[in-house]
Amino acid sequence: MTDRMARVVDILIHSFVPLLKAGLAFTVPLAIISFVLGIAIAFIVAIVRISHIKPLAAFAGFYVWIIRGTPLLVQLFIIFYGLPSIGITLDAMVSGIIGFTLSVGAYSSETIRAAILSVSKGQWEAAHALGMSKGQALRHVILPQAIRVAVPPLANSFISLVKDTSLAAAITVTEMFQVAQQITARTYEPLWLYSEAALIYLLFCSVLAYLQSRMEVRFAKHL
Amino acid sequence: MIRIENVYKSFGALEVLKGIDMTVGKGEVVCIVGPSGSGKSTLLRSLNHLERITSGRIFIDNVLLDDRQDDRDIQRPANREVNALCSEIGMVFQRFNLFPHLTALENVMLGPVVVKKAAQEDAKRDAIELLAKVGLSDKMDVYPSKLSGGQQQRVAIARSLAMKPKIMLFDEPTSALDPELVGEVLNVIRDLAKQDMTLLIVTHEMAFAREVADRVVFMDEGRIVEIDTPEKIFGSPSHERTKRFLGQVLNKSA
Ligand SMILES: Nc1ncnc2c1ncn2[C@@H]1O[C@H](COP(=O)(O)OP(=O)(O)O)[C@@H](O)[C@H]1O
Ligand SMILES: [Mg+2]
């Protein structure tokens, strides 16, 4: 029994650095890059849907419909395993970034749209009365207020995304969960290895949750 | 300065303005009174494109703002021209509509900086001067949520004035205020009335209208019933409806 314990402790200690490395080299960049690109898409989609530019709004609505109506894992498989058969072969990490970006873009567009619509009509009117164009009003009056509304739910989305990146293991991205699987295959200690990986996810997410609460305090001012 | 010709406005099936004709001269102060729902706000809001009229024409400074004479829309000005015209027309709202994420000073600076591309220092200098003029020198760095209604409305007036408008529209500027705060806002408007600015004021403050107005408009059910000097309107109105309305309002405040 003590021998087993000693072995497990040894494995956990030796796997900690590779897991953390995989987390910092793949999980975190995958989450951050996808989130930044996804928010950019989400913002464009939200504006297009609010502005009622007919064909574009229809396309944006179609995109949101597809992404929200199909499983993320299936989307990742289509991008990584499916596209090569029509001649588009993408690196696993690139496939992951595309998949997660599209997902963030669709889900967060609704958050951003709701945040923009939550700013009262009187704010648009006051901006218009000063002679501002729609774009100027959006940039200087509406968005600074909408951001305060959008930040808490977007921070939640980011925390979810960090955990969702573990799905990329299924398309061979060597992120944290994939590394945990590899070590498990060698050591046959799934309970301990996966728990260790879970602990590192928990660590990441706790740091993020702390940053989120700090940010919310900052944004809550003057409202 | 302002010419309104045969203006109609409907919201769906509801006809709110039913053939408005009036002109307002440069430097003139016109007060608009009338029962609630008579279309006063809609008329004011049509003058800076917050509402689009259904038919008729509006000229600002001899420039066509809106032409709905026919469906062809030939003479409709471009958006950019409309924005330019609107920046010459200040508007003060019943509910102030200050920008809550900006300080009083920043509220006043934003229009000139964004719309007129004014330099920060110039905009700031003007804003400080305007806030002093409305008696808020000590509140420059305060956010709207920390200001009383009367103070917020005075910031809102300064914010409009920062664009150096030729015309100012006031839509019940004191209706959302506690009674003891009404005076401070009326004082600011009174000062503007003495200057060369063209003012259109929708108000329920009859004593104030009588004092500052060159002409008073009485509106009811989407029409201008009567338009005359305050002495005439308040002293010897020619229409029964005007008399009845004034009787009700003056009784209430007495
Ligand atoms: N955006 C709108 N949509 C539908 N009806 C409106 C709208 N704005 C105003 N109305 C209606 O138009 C009528 C006139 O409103 P308004 O111009 O605000 O009157 P007043 O300012 O004289 O009280 C009212 O019956 C009001 O309900
Ligand atoms: Mg009104």
Side-chain angles (χ1 to χ4, degrees), chain B residues 73-104:
Chain B
D73 266 3
I74 294 168
Q75 301 190 57
R76 221 176 101 198
N79 269 338
R80 193 171 330 129
E81 295 166 48
V82 168
N83 286 336
L85 267 184
C86 289
S87 71
E88 296 185 358
I89 308 173
M91 178 144 190
V92 173
F93 302 86
Q94 186 175 349
R95 306 225 66 99
F96 331 132
N97 295 353
L98 287 181
F99 306 133
H101 60 297
L102 300 177
T103 62

Side-chain angles (χ1 to χ4, degrees), chain B:
Chain B
M1 198 79 203
I2 305 173
R3 197 158 85 241
I4 301 169
E5 292 178 355
N6 203 26
V7 162
Y8 285 78
K9 167 73 185 176
S10 304
F11 292 106
L14 180 69
E15 197 167 53
V16 173
L17 298 179
K18 303 169 185 168
I20 302 285
D21 284 288
M22 73 185 264
T23 54
V24 179
K26 190 167 173 3
E28 203 178 4
V29 178
V30 174
C31 285
I32 304 174
V33 302
S36 136
S38 56
K40 307 182 297 296
S41 297
T42 306
L43 176 60
L44 222 54
R45 291 161 57 83
S46 301
L47 296 178
N48 69 352
H49 259 209
L50 286 173
E51 304 290 355
R52 302 300 303 270
I53 58 177
T54 312
S55 72
R57 294 186 194 218
I58 297 174
F59 294 87
I60 305 290
D61 225 359
N62 284 322
V63 181
L64 186 69
L65 174 72
D66 230 321
D67 179 4
R68 292 298 176 94
Q69 291 296 73
D70 50 46
D71 286 332
R72 283 172 297 153
D73 266 3
I74 294 168
Q75 301 190 57
R76 221 176 101 198
N79 269 338
R80 193 171 330 129
E81 295 166 48
V82 168
N83 286 336
L85 267 184
C86 289
S87 71
E88 296 185 358
I89 308 173
M91 178 144 190
V92 173
F93 302 86
Q94 186 175 349
R95 306 225 66 99
F96 331 132
N97 295 353
L98 287 181
F99 306 133
H101 60 297
L102 300 177
T103 62
L105 187 70
E106 291 165 342
N107 262 277
V108 180
M109 288 170 61
L110 191 67
V113 168
V114 171
V115 178
K116 293 189 167 167
K117 312 287 177 225
Q120 287 281 336
E121 316 83 80
D122 297 343
K124 188 167 179 181
R125 187 166 18 84
D126 286 354
I128 289 173
E129 197 176 305
L130 283 166
L131 284 171
K133 201 164 135 188
V134 298
L136 290 173
S137 293
D138 54 334
K139 300 290 182 192
M140 289 196 296
D141 298 318
V142 176
Y143 285 87
S145 59
K146 297 280 180 322
L147 294 172
S148 75
Q151 291 168 335
Q152 287 190 55
Q153 193 59 298
R154 285 185 283 153
V155 175
I157 294 172
R159 178 178 68 176
S160 276
L161 291 175
M163 293 302 290
K164 303 197 166 58
K166 297 176 180 160
I167 301 167
M168 284 277 276
L169 310 174
F170 291 86
D171 192 359
E172 301 195 24
T174 59
S175 295
L177 299 178
D178 293 334
E180 73 272 19
L181 302 177
V182 168
E184 63 189 56
V185 172
L186 292 184
N187 282 337
V188 171
I189 302 175
R190 192 176 282 123
D191 282 346
L192 293 177
K194 283 179 199 145
Q195 296 160 19
D196 198 25
M197 193 164 315
T198 308
L199 304 184
L200 248 74
I201 309 170
V202 173
T203 185
H204 292 303
E205 301 287 335
M206 295 304 156
F208 178 72
R210 184 169 200 157
E211 173 200 337
V212 300
D214 297 311
R215 282 188 301 159
V216 174
V217 175
F218 173 65
M219 274 183 79
D220 193 19
E221 293 180 354
R223 293 196 176 80
I224 292 180
V225 177
E226 200 166 344
I227 177 163
D228 216 322
T229 60
E231 292 74 28
K232 196 78 198 333
I233 297 271
F234 294 112
S236 51
S238 20
H239 287 259
E240 195 50 43
R241 270 192 289 177
T242 318
K243 251 178 242 172
R244 215 178 318 131
F245 171 73
L246 291 174
Q248 281 163 3
V249 176
L250 297 175
N251 272 339
K252 220 183 296 169
S253 56

